[in-house]
Amino acid sequence: MSSENTPDDEDTFKILIATDVHLGYLEKNAIRGNDTYQTFEEILQCAKDKKVDFILLGGDLFHDNKPSRRSLHICTTLLRKYCMGDSPVTFNILSDQTTNFNTTQFPWVNYQDENLNISIPVFSIHGNHDDPTGAEGLCALDLLSAAGLVNHFGHSNSVERIEISPILMQKGNTKLALFGLGSIPDERLYRMFVNKQVSMLRPKEDQDDWFNLFTIHQNRSKHGPTNYIPEQFLDDFLDLVVWGHEHECLITPTRNEQQLFYVTQPGSSVATSLSPGEATKKHIGLLRVKGRKMNLQKIPLKTVRQFITQDVVLADYEDLFTPDTHQVTKKVEDLCYAKVTEMIEEAERERLGCPLTPEKPLIRLRVDYSGGFEAFSTSRFSQKFVDRVANPKDIIHFMRRREQKVDFKDEVNVDYSKLVKTVAVEGLRVEDLVKQYFEAAEQKVQLSLLTEQGMGKAIQEFVDKDEKDAIEELIRYQLEKTQRHLQARGVTTEQDIDMEVRQFRDSKKNTTEEENEIREAMNRAKAHRIERGENPEDRNISDELGDVALDSDEGSDPFPPPSRGRGRGGRARGGRGRGRGESRSNINFCTFLFLSLLNYTSCFIFLQITIDDSDEDIPARKVTKPPSRFVYFRNKRVIFPSKITFIQMHKSKSFLFLFQIN
């Protein structure tokens, strides 16, 4: 079916394909708050206008694992508005639906429910943003599934073996086998593919008559040795793979010459980061399947906010200035102003004739200031474009080539400006950053009790899903298990204990046992909280730190509690409020977790600070040496930080610091 104008008949499946809608992204932003909802409505309107048989979503329908009530309300409203009606559904389900839809008490496709009037069924797998959590393994899609609005499929409950059973559909003489696999940690799934623990079930009869469509939500590009899923891992009987999770729109099907199937990557329908991959024009796809032939029509989205990005390397402008030029910072700022103005004018020209496109574009100018140049004030620069762009606070992104690791031998007189570098981490996840940190760290600062995978998963739960007990419970669980192991082995001396603990830890790395332990620790944290009747949002972990004392050379609380109400909290020196170098009035959440792995091992401190998401401008400042802080832990007076890793979360104004005290 090579022509986009192929006539539709009773044998042709028409499927609207979209991935990574990310409903609720920046919903509190005054300018961009409705972007995801408008685009989702455009997708549903397109499905209705094209009279498709069903909609196929490739994961990450919601941006947050726990969507806000507003997100859930708008989503259910739109699904009810566009997907319910009297139009008949003209295809049948032939497979065992209790196997296909195993996450609900209503294990059948929603359009066959006698209590519902569905005109456009929606089939969706879950992504890494809206993945199942908790002891029951539920996600936001399961709420929509119970309401009869979405058919959630592709959920695997086993960590030992995955069997993907397809939804078998038939329309006229066309038979379609829809396979789906919701998001699974890439390294685990990679290992399961290598160990032949993933299998796709096929019909026993007439296997060559089925068109095999597979939807997956994993890393496609290589982020590490095992932190992605190679296309070669997938079965060669597939005809088309719809790849979610990757946000760059590469929707035109590409042929894998080794496996002989096609891959389409629709990308996200909204830009959730200001990276170059998000600047590609956003599309959804209209897939037509007749027999074993297919055709995919690209449909551009008109309600997506424009995003234009450009890179500037200051060292390439030697004819204009050098680091030694008089007032070079002013000249660099003028150059950036001219570049941004050109990008805005380009966006305005492209928007002509498209009334549905939001007026203010997203602009990102990435400036490489390596070679001795200095960064100018982005706060002052952004004021010039407040009324012209949708992201005035982060138009400019300064970056420089990664420098060699600096060895700090004097842990008292440390230059903290060298310690925290402005290195771009766009697209990285928190668990990836934790892993990179420990891979690059020296042997003496490696984890002794936990594995990098376990620590990364616990921090991900803590940051992304607000599970404040995740790290603590993982430590307690592993500590108890290690203590039982040491008692069984009869180890008593400190040297033997250290060696035995490391051997015990290394024996579990990258094994199913490690996966089970992490899952058990996370489930135990949730179960304990449920037993206590506590709400995750209500708990204050600082109440549990009675044996830890903080002190400051200034004689005051280094991190005072946030004030109630805006405009207050002026506890800065001199009463200047938000003066130079003062940001405490912006802190509305501050949590310390002091975790002792064993009596003789290192102590890790996790500090999460969330900046108040108000309309006030919060300029980015260069990190300088902070006032001296002391931590009293196990009756020891320790200066921190001696080693510091800075992780900036890309999803919100949330910052995660990891201190290690030796």
Side-chain angles (χ1 to χ4, degrees), residues 66-201:
K66 301 174 182 177
S68 66
R69 278 179 253 182
R70 180 176 182 237
S71 292
L72 288 171
H73 180 263
I74 294 178
C75 180
T76 54
T77 300
L78 293 176
L79 288 173
R80 179 173 176 175
K81 177 180 178 181
Y82 290 96
C83 297
M84 285 187 168
D86 296 327
S87 299
V89 177
T90 57
F91 65 92
N92 297 319
I93 303 292
L94 307 180
S95 55
D96 182 2
Q97 298 187 38
T98 59
T99 302
N100 300 142
F101 312 112
N102 56 5
T103 62
T104 175
Q105 296 182 8
F106 310 98
W108 51 81
V109 68
N110 61 350
Y111 75 85
Q112 291 182 351
D113 193 316
E114 60 183 8
N115 297 313
L116 300 173
N117 198 21
I118 303 295
S119 60
I120 304 178
V122 178
F123 295 87
S124 178
I125 62 173
H126 62 262
N128 60 304
H129 279 254
D130 50 14
D131 61 324
T133 58
E136 297 82 7
L138 297 175
C139 64
L141 285 179
D142 293 315
L143 297 177
L144 300 177
S145 178
L149 298 173
V150 169
N151 301 291
H152 180 204
F153 73 109
H155 183 197
S156 176
N157 295 316
S158 174
V159 296
E160 300 290 342
R161 184 169 186 83
I162 298 176
E163 289 187 347
I164 306 175
S165 182
I167 304 174
L168 302 180
M169 308 175 179
Q170 184 170 1
K171 181 180 180 182
N173 294 322
T174 300
K175 297 180 179 180
L176 174 67
L178 177 59
F179 297 82
L181 182 61
S183 177
I184 296 175
D186 290 294
E187 294 181 342
R188 183 207 302 173
L189 186 58
Y190 186 102
R191 184 172 66 252
M192 296 182 75
F193 269 112
V194 171
N195 295 333
K196 308 296 183 182
Q197 296 173 323
V198 181
S199 59
M200 292 186 177
L201 307 181

Side-chain angles (χ1 to χ4, degrees), residues 299-578:
I299 301 177
L301 292 172
K302 301 177 181 179
T303 58
V304 177
R305 190 176 298 275
Q306 296 169 286
F307 173 34
I308 299 179
T309 182
Q310 186 175 341
D311 291 349
V312 171
V313 181
L314 298 183
D316 295 341
Y317 292 85
E318 296 180 354
D319 55 332
L320 297 179
F321 45 71
T322 65
D324 299 328
T325 302
H326 180 62
Q327 292 186 340
V328 61
T329 303
K330 180 64 167 57
K331 296 181 182 295
V332 170
E333 186 174 349
D334 292 341
L335 173 66
C336 293
Y337 180 86
K339 293 288 184 181
V340 171
T341 301
E342 292 176 2
M343 296 163 70
I344 295 176
E345 293 174 351
E346 177 186 351
E348 291 175 349
R349 289 192 298 269
E350 292 181 357
R351 197 176 60 85
L352 292 177
C354 299
L356 297 179
T357 303
E359 181 179 355
K360 296 180 180 180
L362 297 170
I363 301 295
R364 168 54 68 93
L365 183 65
R366 306 198 309 172
V367 182
D368 184 346
Y369 68 117
S370 304
F373 292 95
E374 294 291 335
F376 55 78
S377 172
T378 56
S379 176
R380 184 179 66 249
F381 184 86
S382 65
Q383 297 299 321
K384 304 175 183 178
F385 300 97
V386 169
D387 297 329
R388 303 183 64 184
V389 300
N391 60 317
K393 295 181 181 180
D394 48 13
I395 298 176
I396 301 293
H397 176 66
F398 285 104
M399 59 183 183
R400 59 176 58 176
R401 289 183 291 273
R402 188 178 296 274
E403 301 175 358
Q404 295 182 351
K405 182 180 178 180
V406 181
D407 184 16
F408 295 98
K409 297 182 179 180
D410 185 359
E411 296 188 351
V412 177
N413 301 316
V414 178
D415 185 355
Y416 291 88
S417 62
K418 296 181 180 179
L419 202 58
V420 181
K421 298 182 175 63
T422 55
V423 180
V425 293
E426 293 174 320
L428 286 179
R429 299 178 297 176
V430 60
E431 60 267 33
D432 298 331
L433 295 170
V434 171
K435 181 178 179 181
Q436 289 179 8
Y437 169 75
F438 287 113
E439 285 179 348
E442 300 175 5
Q443 185 63 33
K444 64 180 182 180
V445 298
Q446 290 290 336
L447 289 171
S448 300
L449 180 65
L450 300 180
T451 61
E452 291 84 359
Q453 182 179 355
M455 180 64 77
K457 178 63 176 176
I459 298 178
Q460 179 192 20
E461 294 280 330
F462 176 76
V463 175
D464 290 345
K465 303 175 184 177
D466 199 26
E467 294 291 352
K468 297 182 174 62
D469 291 341
I471 303 174
E472 179 185 3
E473 285 297 334
L474 179 66
I475 295 292
R476 182 180 292 118
Y477 179 82
Q478 292 287 9
L479 182 58
E480 292 173 356
K481 189 165 185 176
T482 304
Q483 288 173 341
R484 290 194 299 268
H485 174 78
L486 294 177
Q487 291 174 358
R489 300 280 294 182
V491 183
T492 56
T493 65
E494 181 174 323
Q495 183 177 1
D496 293 340
I497 289 176
D498 188 43
M499 182 180 301
E500 188 67 31
V501 168
R502 290 185 181 275
Q503 291 177 353
F504 182 61
R505 168 187 174 273
D506 294 339
S507 66
K508 298 181 296 183
K509 292 184 65 175
N510 299 323
T511 64
T512 304
E513 181 183 1
E514 180 187 27
E515 297 284 352
N516 293 337
E517 289 182 355
I518 296 173
R519 180 184 292 270
E520 175 62 26
M522 297 301 101
N523 290 339
R524 198 169 78 164
K526 299 177 181 70
H528 287 174
R529 186 178 63 247
I530 294 173
E531 290 177 1
R532 295 191 298 266
E534 294 181 358
N535 190 326
E537 286 78 12
D538 296 338
R539 185 175 177 195
N540 186 1
I541 198 71
S542 61
D543 296 338
E544 302 178 1
L545 304 178
D547 60 339
V548 181
L550 292 178
D551 194 10
S552 171
D553 287 346
E554 297 177 351
S556 61
D557 186 0
F559 291 97
S563 60
R564 297 185 180 273
R566 298 178 58 179
R568 299 181 62 189
R571 297 185 60 179
R573 297 178 60 182
R576 297 179 59 185
R578 297 179 61 190

